[in-house]
Amino acid sequence: MCVFCLKNHASRVCKRAFFMPLEEKIAIIKKKGLCRVCLAKGHIAYQCRSQITCQLCSKKHLKFMCPNIGCNKSDSPKQDVNDKNINEKTVDSLHSRATNEVILQTLVVNVHGVKRERKARAIIDTGSQKSYILRSTAEELGFNLQREEEFCHSLFGGTKTRMYKHKCYKIYLSSLDGNYTCKLDALDHDVICNDISSVKNGSWIQELRTKKIFLTDIQENAGPIEVLLGADVAGKLITGRREELETGLVALETKLGWTLMGKVPRYIDKKMQV
């Protein structure tokens, strides 16, 4: 359970935390007896062995704890941090936040490691030049290290980070039906995307079924995005099959499974909330 908003997601991906003053977040962390770096119990910041690095300043803390974020500056005005405001003001790209009003190209794949294999959530993001895997996932599954790469990230709005060192692994993925398998180079990272929702139930699900299209990342799935498929591999995965739905959403087929993308119609949102 998240220590900042008490909802059922990891504290390190909390959207609410991005709008809370730094002093308030520190107070919560101290009260709960958590590490200020990784938010885990059992140790304090200077003992933390995690490899968490801020994408903005390259120091050892989570992005929403960075002093460079507006809400963390002492002279910044306080903001209303209710969920409605957060959903209206946030959009998503690599390493940022998301809104449920837009469905992104997510799917579930099989990830095959040296130690074992299991299912994982993935996202296709052609705005990223490279592909990534969650660092904890790479360590858990035991992928073979290929090399290390060091470079800075260029983020939306022209912001550039300091030099960041990544481990590059050769990873193996397959579709859930086992009909397609691929291998690719993926760089490790502490957090790939923050709080990307699975596809929710709606009229589009029934319409997809009538077209014999079945999604893998649907409402029942939870957990973080563990694999990001960037522009370096995405083009090879797209089959060219495309179905535009009556709602305006678009289904795109990949060799790893079908994905859905687009803006959720407002009238459907209201109907589902009744």
Side-chain angles (χ1 to χ4, degrees):
M1 180 179 290
C2 176
V3 298
F4 299 112
C5 68
L6 304 181
K7 292 188 176 181
N8 190 26
H9 58 244
S11 301
R12 64 169 61 186
V13 298
C14 181
K15 293 184 290 185
R16 186 185 183 91
F18 276 91
F19 294 86
M20 296 171 62
L22 183 60
E23 294 78 8
E24 184 177 347
K25 286 178 283 197
I26 292 175
I28 293 174
I29 291 170
K30 287 183 177 179
K31 183 177 180 180
K32 299 289 184 179
L34 305 177
C35 169
R36 185 168 166 176
V37 176
C38 68
L39 304 183
K41 284 189 174 182
H43 63 271
I44 55 180
Y46 81 90
Q47 299 171 325
C48 187
R49 296 183 178 181
S50 71
Q51 299 183 33
I52 290 173
T53 305
C54 176
Q55 296 92 9
L56 297 179
C57 69
S58 298
K59 293 184 179 180
K60 194 171 182 178
H61 55 239
L62 294 168
K63 186 176 179 179
F64 60 62
M65 297 296 290
C66 184
N68 295 328
I69 294 178
C71 67
N72 288 342
K73 296 179 180 179
S74 58
D75 58 347
S76 64
K78 291 187 177 180
Q79 301 184 43
D80 185 354
V81 294
N82 61 62
D83 291 335
K84 179 179 178 182
N85 282 348
I86 292 174
N87 284 336
E88 290 176 351
K89 294 180 180 178
T90 57
V91 295
D92 186 80
S93 59
L94 178 61
H95 311 315
S96 64
R97 303 180 295 280
T99 170
N100 291 333
E101 294 179 356
V102 176
I103 297 175
L104 303 180
Q105 279 188 278
T106 62
L107 66 166
V108 176
V109 298
N110 289 319
V111 186
H112 305 264
V114 175
K115 297 179 180 178
R116 67 188 187 96
E117 62 181 71
R118 65 171 174 82
K119 296 178 181 178
R121 295 184 68 212
I123 186 170
I124 297 176
D125 183 1
T126 55
S128 174
Q129 293 181 337
K130 297 179 180 291
S131 296
Y132 293 83
I133 185 168
L134 203 62
R135 177 169 292 141
S136 58
T137 302
E139 294 173 350
E140 172 196 344
L141 299 182
F143 291 108
N144 292 321
L145 178 64
Q146 302 294 303
R147 61 186 180 276
E148 290 189 347
E149 295 186 16
E150 188 172 10
F151 52 85
C152 62
H153 292 274
S154 180
L155 308 177
F156 179 80
T159 302
K160 287 188 177 181
T161 68
R162 296 181 182 179
M163 297 298 290
Y164 196 97
K165 183 177 290 186
H166 298 273
K167 293 180 179 179
C168 182
Y169 295 96
K170 182 73 70 177
I171 69 172
Y172 296 81
L173 308 178
S174 68
S175 56
L176 295 188
D177 59 15
N179 290 333
Y180 178 76
T181 302
C182 64
K183 62 180 179 180
L184 59 115
D185 288 346
L187 303 172
D188 71 339
H189 210 287
D190 295 309
V191 178
I192 293 179
C193 300
N194 287 336
D195 203 16
I196 303 295
S197 299
S198 301
V199 178
K200 304 301 183 185
N201 282 329
S203 61
W204 48 86
I205 297 295
Q206 184 59 40
E207 186 178 356
L208 287 170
R209 288 173 181 168
T210 62
K211 297 176 181 292
K212 299 188 182 303
I213 295 175
F214 301 95
L215 304 176
T216 54
D217 191 31
I218 53 178
Q219 189 170 13
E220 291 78 8
N221 291 321
I225 295 293
E226 298 182 71
V227 177
L228 183 146
L229 300 169
D232 55 339
V233 299
K236 298 177 181 179
L237 299 175
I238 298 172
T239 67
R241 288 190 63 190
R242 174 183 180 277
E243 290 285 345
E244 185 169 347
L245 308 184
E246 293 181 0
T247 57
L249 297 172
V250 177
L252 297 173
E253 186 188 43
T254 76
K255 295 178 181 179
L256 290 169
W258 281 91
T259 64
L260 190 67
M261 65 183 300
K263 187 174 182 180
V264 178
R266 290 185 178 275
Y267 74 90
I268 292 179
D269 285 343
K270 293 178 181 178
K271 182 178 179 181
M272 292 178 65
Q273 292 173 0
V274 174

